[in-house]
C-alpha cells in the first residue's frame, strides 16, 4: 500500500515510468482534456495517488492539490467527488493541509458537506478532521458547520460512516460537547 523509493523502483522496473513523470503526464492529460468523463477519470486516478505519503511531495510539486481544489468549483458532481476525495487523502499530511488552507480551500470543503453525493460528504468530513487546527478553527468551527456535523453524527441509522466520522470530528475538535 504505502511506497518508499526502493519499493517504487522495484515495482517500476528498469524501463518503467518514474512516479513523478507519470503524475505529470496525468496532470497534462487533465489540462488538455475537453471531455468531462476523461477529466473525471484522471482526477479519480490522481486522488488514488493522494493517499500514499510517497507521493505527497510530487503532488505539491505538480500543483495537484490546487487542481483538486479547482475541481470543487466545477458543476460536475463527479469532479467534485473525486476532487474532495483527493483532498481528503492528501490532507492527512500537514504540508498538504496547509496548502488547502493557503489556497482558500476551507470554504470549498465546507460547501461539500451539503452535497447530495454521500462520498463527497464523507470525504469532506474526513478532510475537515485533518484540516481543523489552532490557526483555522474559527473558520471551520462556525455554528452552521458544527450544526451540519452534529446532524451527521446523529444520523447513525441513515449512515454509520457519516455518523462515526462526524462524531470523531466533534470529539476531536469540539470537546465542550462531550
Amino acid at each position: 500500500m504505502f511506497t518508499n523509493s526502493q519499493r517504487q523502483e522495484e515495482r517500476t522496473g528498469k524501463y518503467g515510468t518514474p512516479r513523478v513523470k507519470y503524475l505529470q503526464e496525468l496532470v497534462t492529460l487533465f489540462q488538455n482534456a475537453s471531455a468531462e468523463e476523461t477529466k473525471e477519470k484522471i482526477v479519480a486516478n490522481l486522488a488514488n495517488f493522494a493517499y500514499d505519503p510517497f507521493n505527497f511531495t510530487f503532488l505539491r510539486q505538480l500543483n495537484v492539490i490546487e487542481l483538486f481544489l479547482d475541481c470543487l468549483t466545477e458543476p460536475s458532481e463527479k469532479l467534485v467527488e473525486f476532487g474532495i476525495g483527493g483532498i481528503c487523502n492528501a490532507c492527512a499530511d500537514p504540508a498538504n493541509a496547509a496548502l488547502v488552507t493557503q489556497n482558500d480551500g476551507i470554504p470549498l470543503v465546507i460547501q461539500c458537506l451539503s452535497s447530495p453525493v454521500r462520498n463527497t460528504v464523507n470525504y469532506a468530513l474526513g478532510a475537515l478532521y485533518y484540516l481543523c487546527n489552532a490557526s483555522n478553527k474559527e473558520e471551520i468551527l462556525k455554528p452552521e458547520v458544527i450544526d451540519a456535523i452534529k446532524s451527521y453524527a446523529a444520523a447513525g441509522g441513515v449512515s454509520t460512516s457519516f455518523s462515526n466520522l462526524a462524531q470523531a470530528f466533534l470529539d476531536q475538535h469540539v470537546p465542550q460537547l462531550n
Side-chain angles (χ1 to χ4, degrees), residues 91-165:
C91 74
D93 177 68
N96 291 338
L99 263 180
V100 171
T101 301
Q102 291 163 11
N103 285 284
D104 300 319
I106 289 175
L108 297 172
V109 174
I110 289 171
Q111 186 177 338
C112 290
L113 290 175
S114 61
S115 173
V117 179
R118 285 178 172 247
N119 283 342
T120 299
V121 175
N122 246 359
Y123 295 144
L125 287 167
L128 289 171
Y129 181 90
Y130 287 110
L131 289 169
C132 192
N133 61 44
S135 68
N136 61 28
K137 262 188 177 187
E138 286 187 23
E139 185 176 9
I140 294 174
L141 299 180
K142 293 179 180 175
E144 61 273 16
V145 176
I146 293 172
D147 288 346
I149 294 174
K150 282 181 185 177
S151 73
Y152 288 125
V158 176
S159 174
T160 304
S161 64
F162 284 2
S163 179
N164 290 345
L165 195 48

Side-chain angles (χ1 to χ4, degrees), residues 19-113:
R19 180 65 54 90
V20 70
K21 183 176 180 194
Y22 180 72
L23 291 171
Q24 177 63 67
E25 289 171 3
L26 286 175
V27 170
T28 301
L29 283 171
F30 178 85
Q31 291 168 335
N32 294 329
S34 56
E36 201 73 18
E37 186 177 346
T38 302
K39 287 183 172 189
E40 292 166 359
K41 288 177 182 179
I42 294 167
V43 173
N45 200 347
L46 287 167
N48 285 334
F49 281 101
Y51 78 89
D52 191 340
F54 179 77
N55 298 319
F56 289 166
T57 301
F58 305 141
L59 296 174
R60 288 190 296 272
Q61 177 185 333
L62 299 171
N63 298 315
V64 174
I65 305 301
E66 292 86 343
L67 185 149
F68 290 149
L69 288 169
D70 288 343
C71 288
L72 301 187
T73 65
E74 293 291 327
S76 163
E77 288 290 349
K78 287 285 187 192
L79 278 177
V80 173
E81 177 185 352
F82 300 143
I84 190 65
I87 289 168
C88 180
N89 288 345
C91 74
D93 177 68
N96 291 338
L99 263 180
V100 171
T101 301
Q102 291 163 11
N103 285 284
D104 300 319
I106 289 175
L108 297 172
V109 174
I110 289 171
Q111 186 177 338
C112 290
L113 290 175

